[in-house]
Amino acid sequence: MENFASCSNSMITIFVLALLIVILILIPSVNSLETSNKSDQSFRPDMELKKLNFIKAKLNKINKPSVKTIQSPDGDIIDCVLSHQQPAFDHPELQGQKPLDPPERPNDGHNPNESMMEDFQLWRVSGESCPEGTIPIRRSTEEDMLRAINIKRFGQKRVIKRRVRRDSTSTDHEHAVGYVSGQQYYGAKASINVWAPRVTNQYEFSLSQMWVISGSFGNDLNTIEAGWQVSPEQYGDSHPRFFTYWTTDAYQATGCYNLLCSGFVQTNSRIAIGAAISPTSNYNGGQFDISLLIWKDPKHGNWWLEFGSGILVGYWPSFLFTHLRDHASMVQFGGEIVNTRSSGFHTSTQMGSGHFSGLGFGKASYFRNLQVVDWDNNLTPLSNLKVLADHPNCYDIRGGINRVWGNYFYYGGPGRNVRCP
């Protein structure tokens, strides 16, 4: 019995000694790990704090004091901001000024209908509106900025080569467009069919728009753009939204979406740029389109945007631009998507209705009544419309002309399919 007890005590002693050796070996590693964690923790909060401070400063700059706030059913907050306090008037050349009076409208042989429907956005569903002397601005949030791939470029398009050019160079932007070039253009007009295409990746988008373009396709590219887009990164949802854009250096440093920088001057108190459009078109059902006109004011040289017939949205001051201070050298209409190939194959992000052009009205998306503005401020039909799809097995386009729609085209597609792997 004594021998057994002695043996047991020896085994316990050996076990304790072994345990002490293991602990001594592990202590440096644990200390090292704790030191490493402390180092990481002291580094990360600094970076996060810097990031959050940048976001706060940016939001303070673009979100202006409001006299009224409206909650939209889709979650947007619309701020009614005094028109002379909007972001455009932070620009050194606009400080202390107020929005300009309406310009001379292009001649098209018709009198504009001032009562044209303006309640085409979700935030107006409740019947709420902004007071006269204010403009509605979609409030930007911290969540909006945190979704951006690069918070320092929040509100700007990503820089890629040949974003607008209609060719088959391999970028992640794909187009199906109609365009005219070779003359001097002072504006453009079109009615754009509105759908809610599926976008399969947060960092992809699908849009339908007009481009008014001047300069080369190098770093001096000037564009003015307007239309509708579905962009989860920009807006956090899948609603089609009315948008504008501009750049003077091929999307590098200048320009932005909507009112997210000093640029576009809004004059309308009932339309919120960046807000969701409602209703939208349905396959084999009701069709909805929006008419947009961009033109250069012959008197002051600013580029104005009109919605519908006679409803002025605002203007891009001419001093923002280089080549577009004079005229445009190209006008482009159509669809664009981003294809990130995130799963190793072509995206299933849809363009337009998500169906090919051959299906026609009620199924394929369209642009109709395409026109340009000439040197004498007249709206004229297109004389040399060309159509091109740079990935026709994924998204295609088909043009035509008739008495009712004038120049038109159907366009779009589903993206990935058996012919578009």
Side-chain angles (χ1 to χ4, degrees), residues 26-164:
L26 288 176
I27 282 173
S29 300
V30 172
N31 286 338
S32 174
L33 183 60
E34 287 178 350
T35 303
S36 174
N37 284 341
K38 286 177 182 175
S39 175
D40 287 348
Q41 288 168 3
S42 65
F43 173 74
R44 288 174 180 165
D46 287 349
M47 295 297 290
E48 285 301 307
L49 186 60
K50 187 176 180 181
K51 182 178 181 180
L52 291 174
N53 284 338
F54 177 86
I55 290 173
K56 183 179 179 181
K58 181 75 171 178
L59 292 176
N60 284 339
K61 186 175 183 180
I62 59 180
N63 289 329
K64 301 300 184 182
S66 63
V67 300
K68 180 180 178 180
T69 296
I70 300 169
Q71 181 74 52
S72 176
D74 61 351
D76 280 358
I77 297 174
I78 305 298
D79 290 322
C80 301
V81 175
L82 291 172
S83 59
H84 66 277
Q85 292 182 352
Q86 63 182 289
F89 292 103
D90 290 338
H91 195 288
E93 294 201 39
L94 290 176
Q95 285 180 357
Q97 298 184 32
K98 293 184 178 180
L100 296 175
D101 292 331
E104 179 187 349
R105 190 180 182 278
N107 306 309
D108 61 357
H110 302 93
N111 292 320
N113 176 14
E114 295 290 350
S115 63
M116 173 73 183
M117 182 271 293
E118 291 174 307
D119 297 336
F120 72 106
Q121 295 186 305
L122 281 175
W123 73 278
R124 295 293 304 274
V125 169
S126 66
E128 291 276 1
S129 61
C130 284
E132 287 298 322
T134 70
I135 63 163
I137 302 180
R138 178 186 180 272
R139 184 184 298 177
S140 296
T141 66
E142 183 177 310
E143 290 74 22
D144 289 338
M145 291 196 67
L146 288 172
R147 280 194 307 271
I149 289 179
N150 182 348
I151 62 168
K152 291 186 177 180
R153 287 188 59 82
F154 174 69
Q156 294 181 299
K157 292 186 177 184
R158 274 169 265 162
V159 181
I160 64 164
K161 293 182 179 179
R162 294 176 175 155
R163 178 182 295 279
V164 186

Side-chain angles (χ1 to χ4, degrees), residues 263-279:
F264 186 82
V265 179
Q266 184 165 334
T267 59
N268 191 289
S269 64
R270 290 161 290 185
I271 294 173
I273 305 174
I277 298 174
S278 180

Side-chain angles (χ1 to χ4, degrees), residues 143-420:
E143 290 74 22
D144 289 338
M145 291 196 67
L146 288 172
R147 280 194 307 271
I149 289 179
N150 182 348
I151 62 168
K152 291 186 177 180
R153 287 188 59 82
F154 174 69
Q156 294 181 299
K157 292 186 177 184
R158 274 169 265 162
V159 181
I160 64 164
K161 293 182 179 179
R162 294 176 175 155
R163 178 182 295 279
V164 186
R165 197 167 196 136
R166 306 135 316 285
D167 57 26
S168 57
T169 52
S170 57
T171 73
D172 57 356
H173 288 245
E174 300 180 14
H175 304 81
V177 296
Y179 65 96
V180 291
S181 60
Q183 299 180 31
Q184 295 182 357
Y185 306 100
Y186 296 84
K189 184 178 183 181
S191 292
I192 309 173
N193 198 197
V194 181
W195 293 78
R198 182 179 69 250
V199 175
T200 59
N201 182 306
Q202 177 173 314
Y203 298 110
E204 297 181 347
F205 65 63
S206 181
L207 59 76
S208 297
Q209 67 167 76
M210 299 192 304
W211 292 260
V212 176
I213 304 166
S214 192
S216 71
F217 286 92
N219 294 336
D220 64 339
L221 181 71
N222 287 204
T223 74
I224 290 173
E225 309 172 28
W228 61 261
Q229 67 177 163
V230 175
S231 176
E233 178 188 355
Q234 188 72 26
Y235 306 104
D237 60 27
S238 56
H239 292 299
R241 292 169 176 271
F242 176 46
F243 82 96
T244 62
Y245 201 90
W246 66 275
T247 182
T248 63
D249 60 359
Y251 307 94
Q252 294 183 97
T254 63
C256 63
Y257 280 112
N258 309 332
L259 304 182
L260 294 176
C261 66
S262 301
F264 186 82
V265 179
Q266 184 165 334
T267 59
N268 191 289
S269 64
R270 290 161 290 185
I271 294 173
I273 305 174
I277 298 174
S278 180
T280 59
S281 301
N282 293 303
Y283 187 83
N284 258 345
Q287 299 300 296
F288 179 70
D289 60 37
I290 57 174
S291 178
L292 298 177
L293 165 64
I294 297 170
W295 84 100
K296 195 174 195 293
D297 172 16
K299 186 175 181 181
H300 298 290
N302 303 311
W303 291 87
W304 283 79
L305 172 63
E306 178 185 281
F307 169 82
S309 181
I311 303 169
L312 292 176
V313 181
Y315 60 93
W316 293 269
S318 62
F319 67 73
L320 294 173
F321 304 100
T322 53
H323 299 291
L324 280 174
R325 288 193 190 195
D326 299 320
H327 59 268
S329 56
M330 177 182 299
V331 173
Q332 184 170 285
F333 313 85
E336 177 184 356
I337 65 95
V338 172
N339 173 28
T340 62
R341 300 187 70 90
S342 59
S343 301
F345 41 76
H346 195 284
T347 184
S348 296
T349 285
Q350 299 173 332
M351 181 188 292
S353 69
H355 297 275
F356 287 114
S357 62
L359 294 181
F361 185 78
K363 299 176 181 178
S365 189
Y366 61 81
F367 277 63
R368 64 177 175 87
N369 299 109
L370 307 179
Q371 296 175 287
V372 293
V373 180
D374 67 14
W375 65 273
D376 201 25
N377 206 32
N378 295 306
L379 273 164
T380 63
L382 307 185
S383 58
N384 57 341
L385 178 68
K386 299 176 183 177
V387 296
L388 190 144
D390 47 30
H391 294 77
N393 290 333
C394 309
Y395 314 99
D396 70 356
I397 184 167
R398 183 175 302 191
I401 186 168
N402 64 35
R403 277 186 167 186
V404 179
W405 278 17
N407 286 108
Y408 70 90
F409 59 79
Y410 289 101
Y411 71 103
R416 186 172 187 238
N417 64 78
V418 292
R419 297 187 299 122
C420 174

